[in-house]
Amino acid sequence: MTITRRQFLVFMGGAAGTVACSSLVGKRAKTLAFQPVQLPLPLNIGDTASDQMQVYSTYEVIDDLVVPEGYRYSVISAWGDSVGDSRFGYNNDFVALIEAEMMSFLAVNFEYISGKTWMQTYPEVIGQSLPFAEVKTALASRGGEINAFALPKNNPLKQQIEAIAKEGLIDQGIGVISVSKNNDSWERTPLAQDRRITGISGLEDGRYLQATGAAVAIFEKVDKLGYDDQLQVRIIGTFQNCAGGTTPWGTILSAEENFQAQVPEPVMADGSSMDPSQQPFVLTDKKVDGRGNPFGLAGNKYGWMVEVDPANAQDYGTKHTWLGRYRHEAVAVRAVKGKPLAVYSGCDRRGGHLYKFVSQDNVYKVADKANSGLLEQGMLYGAKLNSDGTGQWIALNPDTAVDPVLPSQVVEDEGQGLVTLPNPDRQAGGIVKVTQDADAIALKKFKTLGDLYIGNAIEKQGAILIDAHFAANAAGVTCMARPEDTTVNDQGALFVAFTSGSPGGDGGPDKQIFTGPEGETPYEYGWIMKLEEDKRDPGSMTFRWAMIALGGEPADGGLGFSNPDNLEMDSNGNLWMVTDMSTSKHNQEIPSRTEDGEQVSQSNLRGLFGNNSAWVIPLSGPDSGKAVPFAIGPMECELCGLSLSSDQKSLFLAIQHPGETGGMRQDMAVETRQLVMRTTDGQEFTQQRQVPLGSNWPGKTAQDLPKPALVVVQREDGQNLA
Ligand code: FEO
Ligand code: CA
Ligand code: CA
């Protein structure tokens, strides 16, 4: 269901007939304080069509964080900086500012390591060497991978692999740093709370993570069908921490996303893990993955939501299993006094779902730290969207009927839809990929989700939570277009970014729901959806939804961005958003819009949009529904985080993976590329674009190594950002 601007205004509560929706005055939004940064493509925010061809015939991409005139940024911390007894990790993503009178904390997620650039820069940044070349040579004849778990402890290759895997896992996880503001500048003020929770916390230091909820019954089960790490409820580490959220009681929730890169994802029918050999250690020119393998980490202990109280120096994190195990992108918490707690989170994969946890008990005091206990008992639901803008929540419990999503309901990849389901051979466990409706329907020989999983009542529930994505497909929960961030506004409405509508090896989105401006599928460029619970009740089992922003080229009705990812709401109700286009597509040359008589795919047209960028989308007033560019990232990076201080004067941004594909920019190398662009009214013209090759950010001088880093953006006059 894609909507017109008029429908958008009605849904957002504006009076469509009375709102002035003409172009903006000059190039500035009437209601925003900043002059938009200039992107490589013309936008419908004041660029007149007649000038566009001339203005945009050339464009120079800059290897820096570009912010509006009158704004500045400064680096708070970069990869390798000291944090507690460890270091600031790699690929910072989620950022939360937890403000208090005497001190404030920044909690930061470190998502993954970009293999090529991490290996290139590790020795100099961290100041020690690792045996990358030796291990690569040893694995070359095995396709770059090995089940290191099976090697004897004293095997020299195993020891080399463990050394590399440990360092990679240390660069992932969560960090807490304390900060204070002096004369408008933010400074680190290290305190006892400064600490790292890494991918190996607990392995050697006893700092295990804890777990709550029904899946604990599976961790503690004695005779598991699959692999047993012998640790019961204790958990080693957290990794692939992508986005997250803050709770009204001052803790943060950190989302474990693509955990399948380090440990096996599918599980046995009792919820126990597959053998570590199912995700071997991998080392190639571009990848250092399967890092859970040498240590025998149990796959079912990753893919959870981790709660941490930054102010409590002893807190190394708790995985709340009632929130489900899947590729958690982010989380949004809605706490209303006298109502159950609602916690929303999406699973970022092609065909992933949107989930809601509803607590068993009601919120008594919204800001009370005891609310963490509400995350320990309740129910997990998956969203079913109807194409008429209504929807309902489906409980993921043993009583729910098996009624699978059908391959014919999702966007096809090379002519066929694909759905992943629990393997009907329950002795073997794991999953199957089905492309024929009949194969999905055959799963109905299991009447309920409880029939698919093995154990007593609580163990079945635990297994369903562990296998949440595949159980949700079996229950008919709607397949979506890679749900990324979720955020709620002060009226309790939920906003969800869907980053990409293309199908792939994990599945595809529902083809009635995730369509382009003309109803077409696949649609790559993304959407932002608004979801309102019926009666605004956090515990409601029904809701209404609508797409309120569409990615894509302005000439086709898009807002000029591609692949929305993280979201943040400011105190004026403006929605802030950052993009995450795949690095390989950044500034990709487009010499023609057709190739061999076919239209170039939307995926390959993403070069048009330049580097990843940050945007502000007003949701009310005269600029309602427009998207205004606020910042452009350095080369080959993704902008993440988006955390605003409560006074709205500071924006914390994580600059993730600069130089991800090109590595260090050598001697200020630059290349001129041709891109066939379009004006906002659809006329083609060619742009000569200068593109730096690789990155030297944040140092910005020749031969500086690219490093992920956390920055703060402020206005030079100290006023509110927007
Ligand atoms: Fe880690 Fe879905 O972004
Ligand atoms: Ca993300
Ligand atoms: Ca991302």
Side-chain angles (χ1 to χ4, degrees):
M1 186 171 120
T2 301
I3 58 166
T4 63
R5 178 167 161 77
R6 186 181 178 82
Q7 287 168 319
F8 168 85
L9 293 165
V10 171
F11 188 79
M12 295 309 298
T18 58
V19 172
C21 48
S22 55
S23 65
L24 308 183
V25 177
K27 284 173 122 187
R28 173 173 290 185
K30 286 174 186 160
T31 52
L32 298 175
F34 63 92
Q35 182 83 16
V37 294
Q38 196 189 344
L39 288 174
L41 80 169
L43 300 175
N44 269 324
I45 53 164
D47 299 329
T48 60
S50 58
D51 294 341
Q52 290 172 10
M53 286 195 196
Q54 194 192 344
V55 171
Y56 291 90
S57 61
T58 59
Y59 186 86
E60 184 185 352
V61 185
I62 311 280
D63 181 26
D64 195 4
L65 177 66
V66 178
V67 294
E69 213 179 302
Y71 290 65
R72 62 182 158 86
Y73 79 88
S74 51
V75 174
I76 304 259
S77 204
W79 174 42
D81 288 355
S82 159
V83 176
D85 60 5
S86 184
R87 62 177 184 251
F88 199 79
Y90 203 81
N91 278 351
N92 34 209
D93 195 300
F94 172 68
V95 183
L97 177 70
I98 308 288
E99 294 170 272
E101 226 163 83
M102 299 299 288
M103 69 193 91
S104 295
F105 296 106
L106 285 167
V108 187
N109 279 355
F110 303 108
E111 187 183 4
Y112 67 106
I113 58 174
S114 307
K116 175 185 163 177
T117 308
W118 185 78
M119 286 189 279
Q120 183 194 42
T121 53
Y122 177 93
E124 194 173 327
V125 174
I126 305 302
Q128 62 190 40
S129 61
L130 284 171
F132 296 126
E134 295 90 321
V135 173
K136 203 187 296 178
T137 304
L139 302 191
S141 61
R142 305 162 174 268
E145 57 180 60
I146 188 169
N147 176 24
F149 183 57
L151 296 174
K153 216 174 170 29
N154 57 1
N155 176 292
L157 177 61
K158 178 159 179 159
Q159 289 169 350
Q160 289 176 321
I161 288 172
E162 283 190 349
I164 293 171
K166 259 186 212 171
E167 288 302 304
L169 288 168
I170 287 169
D171 273 333
Q172 294 185 286
I174 304 165
V176 175
I177 57 176
S178 39
V179 286
S180 61
K181 201 175 172 187
N182 292 323
N183 299 326
D184 284 345
S185 302
W186 288 92
E187 288 169 5
R188 285 189 61 184
T189 48
L191 296 170
Q193 285 92 342
D194 285 31
R195 64 195 186 278
R196 283 294 321 282
I197 306 166
T198 74
I200 57 164
S201 286
L203 182 68
E204 293 163 337
D205 57 11
R207 294 170 180 165
Y208 292 106
L209 284 85
Q210 303 174 356
T212 73
V216 171
I218 308 300
F219 303 153
E220 293 188 330
K221 208 164 116 77
V222 178
D223 43 359
K224 298 176 171 74
L225 284 178
Y227 171 72
D228 192 339
D229 67 1
Q230 306 291 337
L231 289 174
Q232 290 81 42
V233 73
R234 288 167 292 169
I235 297 178
I236 294 170
T238 178
F239 40 80
Q240 308 289 144
N241 308 69
C242 187
T246 52
T247 68
W249 54 93
T251 63
I252 61 117
L253 292 166
S254 172
E256 295 179 341
E257 193 191 26
N258 289 306
F259 64 99
Q260 77 288 353
Q262 312 309 336
V263 291
E265 177 177 46
V267 293
M268 303 299 290
D270 66 347
S272 59
S273 303
M274 294 281 176
D275 189 80
S277 59
Q278 297 299 303
Q279 179 49 271
F281 177 79
V282 183
L283 196 145
T284 63
D285 287 342
K286 289 185 178 169
K287 255 191 190 180
V288 191
D289 278 333
R291 282 176 273 119
N293 169 273
F295 310 110
L297 301 188
N300 66 0
K301 290 182 167 173
Y302 307 92
W304 299 106
M305 190 62 71
V306 189
E307 186 181 28
V308 177
D309 180 356
N312 177 358
Q314 308 310 316
D315 184 1
Y316 279 81
T318 301
K319 302 195 181 187
H320 291 295
T321 68
W322 269 109
L323 273 56
R325 172 178 170 270
Y326 49 90
R327 300 177 196 171
H328 280 280
E329 162 67 25
V331 66
V333 178
R334 188 169 170 223
V336 179
K337 185 176 160 60
K339 299 277 186 185
L341 186 71
V343 183
Y344 300 91
S345 182
C347 172
D348 180 6
R349 82 180 86 198
R350 302 191 188 282
H353 309 292
L354 177 68
Y355 299 82
K356 172 169 80 160
F357 164 81
V358 180
S359 65
Q360 179 177 284
D361 295 329
N362 290 340
V363 175
Y364 175 58
K365 276 189 199 155
V366 169
D368 190 340
K369 282 205 170 159
N371 285 337
S372 290
L374 294 173
L375 299 169
E376 296 180 17
Q377 191 60 252
M379 184 47 64
L380 183 68
Y381 300 86
K384 185 166 172 67
L385 270 57
N386 307 314
S387 53
D388 64 357
T390 62
Q392 54 274 138
W393 295 103
I394 297 177
L396 295 176
N397 68 26
D399 297 333
T400 294
V402 170
D403 185 14
V405 177
L406 303 179
S408 63
Q409 292 175 309
V410 304
V411 174
E412 293 101 10
D413 190 22
E414 293 175 2
Q416 11 186 53
L418 184 150
V419 178
T420 48
L421 292 168
N423 185 356
D425 178 352
R426 300 311 287 149
Q427 274 317 94
I431 59 163
V432 288
K433 295 186 174 190
V434 301
T435 55
Q436 304 300 317
D437 285 2
D439 293 335
I441 292 165
L443 197 70
K444 286 192 179 188
K445 73 178 181 192
F446 302 93
K447 294 274 174 289
T448 63
L449 293 184
D451 294 341
L452 278 167
Y453 296 93
I454 292 169
N456 61 30
I458 187 72
E459 288 167 348
K460 283 183 183 225
Q461 180 65 68
I464 290 169
L465 294 174
I466 286 171
D467 211 24
H469 172 72
F470 307 104
N473 273 343
V477 174
T478 298
C479 289
M480 299 191 177
R482 292 191 51 201
E484 291 267 11
D485 212 343
T486 42
T487 194
V488 289
N489 69 8
D490 51 12
Q491 281 101 50
L494 176 74
F495 295 83
V496 186
F498 294 102
T499 201
S500 161
S502 298
D506 287 320
D510 185 295
K511 59 181 167 190
Q512 302 292 319
I513 310 281
F514 295 93
T515 59
E518 307 295 331
E520 72 272 33
T521 62
Y523 191 71
E524 168 59 29
Y525 303 126
W527 304 256
I528 299 172
M529 183 180 84
K530 184 182 184 187
L531 183 153
E532 290 181 298
E533 300 282 9
D534 287 346
K535 302 197 177 108
R536 293 192 179 174
D537 181 353
S540 174
M541 287 296 109
T542 52
F543 57 83
R544 296 191 59 79
W545 65 273
M547 299 301 182
I548 59 153
L550 183 70
E553 287 182 79
D556 297 328
L559 288 173
F561 59 77
S562 180
N563 308 115
D565 192 326
N566 298 135
L567 303 173
E568 169 86 328
M569 195 68 67
D570 72 18
S571 61
N572 293 326
N574 299 311
L575 188 62
W576 292 63
M577 177 273 286
V578 287
T579 66
D580 179 14
M581 297 177 283
S582 306
T583 312
S584 61
K585 307 293 178 186
H586 294 189
N587 301 294
Q588 183 169 285
E589 194 148 40
I590 305 169
S592 166
R593 292 250 175 175
T594 53
E595 201 172 47
D596 302 329
E598 302 257 314
Q599 292 283 322
V600 174
S601 71
Q602 290 180 342
S603 178
N604 286 332
L605 283 176
R606 282 182 290 171
L608 296 171
F609 302 91
N611 288 3
N612 278 315
S613 45
W615 300 69
V616 180
I617 306 175
L619 297 179
S620 61
D623 302 319
S624 189
K626 292 183 183 292
V628 185
F630 176 79
I632 306 171
M635 301 313 298
E636 301 168 14
C637 85
E638 167 186 353
L639 299 181
C640 312
L642 276 181
S643 181
L644 284 160
S645 60
S646 57
D647 66 6
Q648 310 291 295
K649 292 179 176 173
S650 302
L651 172 70
F652 294 88
L653 268 181
I655 313 299
Q656 188 179 122
H657 60 73
E660 181 165 60
T661 51
M664 183 190 75
R665 185 181 180 193
Q666 307 273 357
D667 304 318
M668 295 305 205
V670 67
E671 190 172 280
T672 300
R673 296 182 187 161
Q674 296 202 343
L675 292 96
V676 179
M677 313 288 295
R678 282 192 296 166
T679 59
T680 52
D681 62 0
Q683 300 174 64
E684 285 192 4
F685 67 98
T686 299
Q687 179 180 84
Q688 307 289 329
R689 188 181 297 182
Q690 284 192 289
V691 181
L693 304 176
S695 179
N696 303 121
W697 192 89
K700 297 195 285 185
T701 55
Q703 317 311 96
D704 273 334
L705 298 178
K707 290 192 286 189
L710 170 63
V711 307
V712 59
V713 182
Q714 293 169 289
R715 249 171 80 165
E716 279 165 1
D717 63 7
Q719 296 305 301
N720 288 14
L721 288 162

